[in-house]
Every structure is written in C-alpha cells, then in structure tokens.
C-alpha cells in the first residue's frame, strides 16, 4: 500500500520528531511512504482568520499527490478536517477525498490496530481535540448521549504498558483554537488551565492527542504553572519502544 505523508507546516517547523515518528509508524505497518516534499500547508490558519483568498493554489500539491497514492495520511486531525471539508472539497470527488485520513483514523480503519507494535509503560491522559472528535468522528462527543466508541482508544490499546486515562470533560476544548488563543488569550489560558487541572487530578504523567497544536497550547500552560506533566503526540507513543 502506498501512502502519501503530509506533515503539517507547524509540525515540520516546531515538532519534526512527530513527523519522523509518523513516518516510522507507517513503515512499520508495511506501508510504502511517499513524503510530500513541497512546502505544504492546508490553509487553515489563513481561512480561520478570514483570509481564505490567501490560500489560492495551496491545493495543488495535494491534487498532484492524490492520484499517486492509495491514501494520504497526516498526523493532525485539524489539518485533515480542513483538507477534506474546505480546501479540497470543491475540486475532489468523494472517492478521492476519502483517501485523506488522520493518522489514528487510518490505523484504525485501514491497517487495523492489531498490526501495531509499541511499548510505553506510563500513565497517559487523553485529550480529545475538537476537530478529531466532532469533525472526523474519531470518538463519541459526550453531548450526543450515544453508545461510547473511540478509534483513538482502540489504537492506543495496542501500546504495551500504556495506562490510558480519559478524565472527565476530556472532550472539552483546550482553548487553543488557532487565532482564538491570540485574540482571546485570557480565556484561552483559563481553558487550558482547567484542562490541566483535570489531567493533574487524574494523576497522569503525559497528555496525548491527535493534534500537536492542542498539545503546544497545553505545554505552554503546563510550563507557566510549573506542572510536571509532559505532552506527547500519539505518533510518538505509537513509535515508542521503552
């Protein structure tokens, strides 16, 4: 199976290890991975701030890659949602659009969690990012009051020794929201602090999520409040061999 790997701009620039771990996880499951070399951005930062016109032609590298791969995978639920629901949707049919998958969605739906192999003997708290939960349906939003399911939890269950904790209100927003954290910084920090307190009360050592953007915000709150908790993207856990 040939997979195109889209490493979002902020991961490429700020958290390159997450991109590398994603590549290695995909290769361990037997995928042939084509790394999308062009400088890529899904256009979400501009679109969310009302400057969608500035993302003209951003779709071209993705349109060029899709015919060459079986799937196009990215370690970001937020970017995957923006690609499938905004940037590519006007120009790509449903069949091609369904090739675009967030990492855990791809591992759960296409590869199968039983084919994963990793070890991380620590207590890990799960943050459910808004786009992954309510945009990509990776799990059950608590407000729907429907039977529980979680693709993320099933994928993480493949990690030996990992003690997963889903604290109360895990599916509330962390407060990042892109430019929301800039223009409404006080509210954003308070939301992150509330999230931190819930995780701390649950006694977790690490907090993980499908979006490094959420974790970047939480990491800043942790540091400001001198919390010993650390953040790790799910790709890092899935590639761990402690």
């Amino acid at each position: 199976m040939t997979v195109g790997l889209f490493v979002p701009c902020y991961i490429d620039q700020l958290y390159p290890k997450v991109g590398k771990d994603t590549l290695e996880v995909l290769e361990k499951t037997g995928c042939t991975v084509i790394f999308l070399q062009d400088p890529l951005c899904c256009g979400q930062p501009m679109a969310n701030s009302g400057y969608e016109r500035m993302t003209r032609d951003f779709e071209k590298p993705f349109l060029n890659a899709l015919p060459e791969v079986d799937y196009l995978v990215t370690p970001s639920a937020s970017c995957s949602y923006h690609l499938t629901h905004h940037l590519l949707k006007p120009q790509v049919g449903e069949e091609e659009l369904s090739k675009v998958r967030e990492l855990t969605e791809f591992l759960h739906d296409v590869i199968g969690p039983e084919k994963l192999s990793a070890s991380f003997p620590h207590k890990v708290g799960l943050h459910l990012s808004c786009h992954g939960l309510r945009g990509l349906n990776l799990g059950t939003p608590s407000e729907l009051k429907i039977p529980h399911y979680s693709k993320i939890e099933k994928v993480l269950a493949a990690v030996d020794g990992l003690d997963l904790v889903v604290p109360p209100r895990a599916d509330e927003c962390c407060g990042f929201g892109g430019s929301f954290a800039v223009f409404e910084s006080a509210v954003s920090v308070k939301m992150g602090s509330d999230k931190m307190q819930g995780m701390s009360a649950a006694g977790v050592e690490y907090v993980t999520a499908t979006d490094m953007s959420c974790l970047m915000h939480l990491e800043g709150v942790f540091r400001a409040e001198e919390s010993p908790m650390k953040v790790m993207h799910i790709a890092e856990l899935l590639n761990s061999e402690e």
Side-chain angles (χ1 to χ4, degrees):
M1 183 185 303
T2 302
V3 172
L5 172 58
F6 162 43
V7 175
C9 49
Y10 70 100
I11 290 180
D12 182 55
Q13 294 297 311
L14 302 176
Y15 300 97
K17 181 177 180 299
V18 174
K20 179 174 179 290
D21 284 326
T22 303
L23 168 65
E24 292 180 357
V25 168
L26 292 172
E27 289 181 335
K28 285 179 180 178
T29 61
C31 295
T32 300
V33 182
I34 298 173
F35 181 76
L36 274 62
Q37 295 282 355
D38 293 322
L40 298 176
C41 173
C42 68
Q44 185 181 179
M46 290 70 92
N48 285 356
S49 297
Y51 296 99
E52 193 167 5
R53 64 183 182 280
M54 296 177 66
T55 67
R56 191 172 299 133
D57 294 338
F58 275 35
E59 72 280 6
K60 286 186 176 178
F62 302 103
L63 296 179
N64 291 335
L66 279 173
E68 307 298 324
V69 300
D70 296 303
Y71 289 93
L72 195 157
V73 176
T74 181
S76 168
S78 179
C79 295
S80 179
Y81 179 84
H82 193 76
L83 285 175
T84 54
H85 289 70
H86 298 288
L87 187 72
L88 299 180
K89 191 171 184 178
Q91 303 187 53
V92 178
E94 285 298 322
E95 185 175 351
E96 287 284 280
L97 208 58
S98 67
K99 289 183 176 181
V100 181
R101 301 294 181 101
E102 181 275 331
L103 176 62
T104 58
E105 179 184 31
F106 173 73
L107 294 173
H108 179 275
D109 293 352
V110 181
I111 296 296
E114 69 280 359
K115 294 184 181 178
L116 299 171
S117 177
S119 175
F120 191 73
H122 297 280
K123 195 168 188 176
V124 177
L126 179 60
H127 164 62
L128 298 166
S129 69
C130 305
H131 281 103
L133 191 65
R134 298 177 177 87
L136 301 181
N137 299 314
L138 298 180
T140 317
S142 58
E143 69 272 14
L144 293 185
K145 308 298 182 185
I146 60 176
H148 177 77
Y149 75 92
S150 173
K151 295 180 181 180
I152 302 171
E153 290 178 37
K154 288 182 179 178
V155 169
L156 285 176
V159 182
D160 288 342
L162 191 151
D163 181 7
L164 185 64
V165 176
V166 185
R169 301 165 68 177
D171 61 352
E172 288 187 3
C173 177
C174 67
F176 177 58
S179 57
F180 176 81
V182 177
F183 298 118
E184 300 290 347
S185 59
V187 179
S188 172
V189 169
K190 180 63 169 67
M191 294 169 73
S193 181
D194 289 347
K195 176 73 68 174
M196 183 195 73
Q197 291 177 20
M199 293 288 182
S200 181
V204 306
E205 304 169 70
Y206 296 85
V207 177
T208 194
T210 54
D211 279 281
M212 204 61 226
S213 52
C214 300
L215 294 174
M216 177 172 61
H217 175 63
L218 291 174
E219 185 178 38
V221 174
F222 293 173
R223 288 181 178 177
E225 303 198 19
E226 299 182 346
S227 168
M229 287 188 297
K230 298 178 182 178
V231 300
M232 287 184 73
H233 189 274
I234 280 177
E236 296 178 283
L237 300 180
L238 296 174
N239 199 35
S240 178
E241 297 179 353
E242 283 195 18

